[in-house]
Amino acid sequence: MRLSVKELPRPVHGSGEVRIRMTMSPINPSDLLMIQGKYGKQPPLPCIPGFEGVGVVEEGKGIMSWRVLGKRVAVLN
């Protein structure tokens, strides 16, 4: 697998979804194994590597999204 950095358009989220500004995302052994093609279950390519991180909810849609706007959250892929 070859890694590259790209600018992507912002995804449009639907009801019940939020957009998170990532502030930290660690690189773990499982991330490295996935990049090398040695992880147990490989995602379909192209994919964005990374299994976890921390961020702040910046935008959301849905009846309960107001409760999490501006909150720090953990993200698990």
Side-chain angles (χ1 to χ4, degrees):
M1 178 186 290
R2 192 183 88 206
L3 296 180
S4 61
V5 176
K6 293 183 179 182
E7 285 282 333
L8 298 174
R10 246 184 214 170
V12 177
H13 51 273
S15 182
E17 296 179 335
V18 295
R19 181 171 51 84
I20 299 169
R21 178 178 39 86
M22 296 300 290
T23 55
M24 289 186 238
S25 184
I27 298 173
N28 293 312
S30 57
D31 299 314
L32 298 174
L33 288 171
M34 188 194 73
I35 291 168
Q36 295 170 353
K38 298 177 183 176
Y39 194 69
K41 183 177 180 189
Q42 289 296 115
L45 299 176
C47 68
I48 298 173
F51 289 108
E52 62 188 30
V54 174
V56 176
V57 178
E58 288 198 328
E59 188 178 357
K61 286 186 181 176
I63 193 165
M64 297 300 285
S65 64
W66 64 271
R67 293 191 70 159
V68 293
L69 290 177
K71 302 277 186 183
R72 189 172 14 166
V73 295
V75 179
L76 301 174
N77 183 8

